[in-house]
Amino acid sequence: MTTTKYTVLPVDAAVLKELRIADDASRPCAPYIATRDDEGSPLRCCLRPIALGERIALVSYAPLRRWAAARGADPGAYDEQGPVFIHADDCGGFAPDATYPFDRPGALRTVRRYDARGHIAGGRLLEIPVDATAGFDAAFDDAFQDPDVMLVHVRALEYGCFHFEVRRPSVKEQ
């Protein structure tokens, strides 16, 4: 198995605490028990699929807005928020392994690029290949060849939902 070249970032633990109170649309968190309809959907706190019977919440999340605010950037019209599933209680977060999350071959993802202002700087469609790690690595290599690209959001094509973030490797987090 190939090890990932880039660091995957789930929703930050401090942000999860906030989302478990009120989401980025200012709605109160409304936990519930996962049903068969939820089973297999991606959790953005620990980057694994939902299991039947888990206590979860569907919240509105604005990843670019939060990234930009921490850096004094203004994404303007590029700001967006959307639905994501999280555990309703602390789950311990993401435990990185040698693969990218939600890497099912054949699944379609958008790999959206953002610059330091928080503006969209391009993107591409990725049909996850059999060697998912190599496919994601190549998509991120391509994105970061542009020196203006600071971060990449991986999203599901069919719903547009945010899955995870990857940042330019040379950028030090404050």
Side-chain angles (χ1 to χ4, degrees):
M1 175 181 352
T2 311
T3 302
T4 60
K5 185 174 178 180
Y6 294 90
T7 301
V8 172
L9 299 172
V11 176
D12 183 74
V15 172
L16 288 167
K17 284 182 181 183
E18 294 173 10
L19 294 173
R20 289 178 178 127
I21 297 167
D23 69 13
D24 286 344
S26 300
R27 290 184 199 84
C29 186
Y32 67 98
I33 303 301
T35 67
R36 291 207 188 286
D37 289 341
D38 304 308
E39 192 174 25
S41 293
L43 288 157
R44 282 30 167 250
C45 46
C46 55
L47 300 181
R48 68 163 180 76
I50 294 172
L52 184 65
E54 289 188 287
R55 191 167 181 266
I56 60 170
L58 182 61
V59 299
S60 185
Y61 177 54
L64 184 63
R65 179 185 313 160
R66 287 176 173 274
W67 176 87
R71 285 151 188 80
D74 179 9
Y78 297 101
D79 180 34
E80 59 185 325
Q81 63 189 31
V84 295
F85 287 104
I86 62 172
H87 277 113
D89 304 296
D90 186 6
C91 64
F94 176 55
D97 63 18
T99 63
Y100 289 104
F102 320 121
D103 64 351
R104 180 179 47 84
L108 299 175
R109 301 289 181 257
T110 58
V111 178
R112 190 176 300 160
R113 306 164 185 182
Y114 295 93
D115 65 19
R117 299 171 300 162
H119 293 191
I120 293 175
R124 66 172 275 196
L125 173 66
L126 173 65
E127 181 175 350
I128 300 175
V130 172
D131 185 348
T133 300
F136 274 115
D137 281 347
F140 299 144
D141 285 346
D142 182 52
F144 292 123
Q145 286 208 8
D146 179 343
D148 292 334
V149 172
M150 294 291 108
L151 72 152
V152 173
H153 286 176
V154 174
R155 296 174 177 269
L157 181 68
E158 58 273 65
Y159 298 108
C161 298
F162 171 84
H163 275 213
F164 61 88
E165 182 176 298
V166 172
R167 294 183 184 167
R168 177 173 288 286
S170 61
V171 174
K172 301 269 192 246
E173 290 305 309
Q174 299 174 355

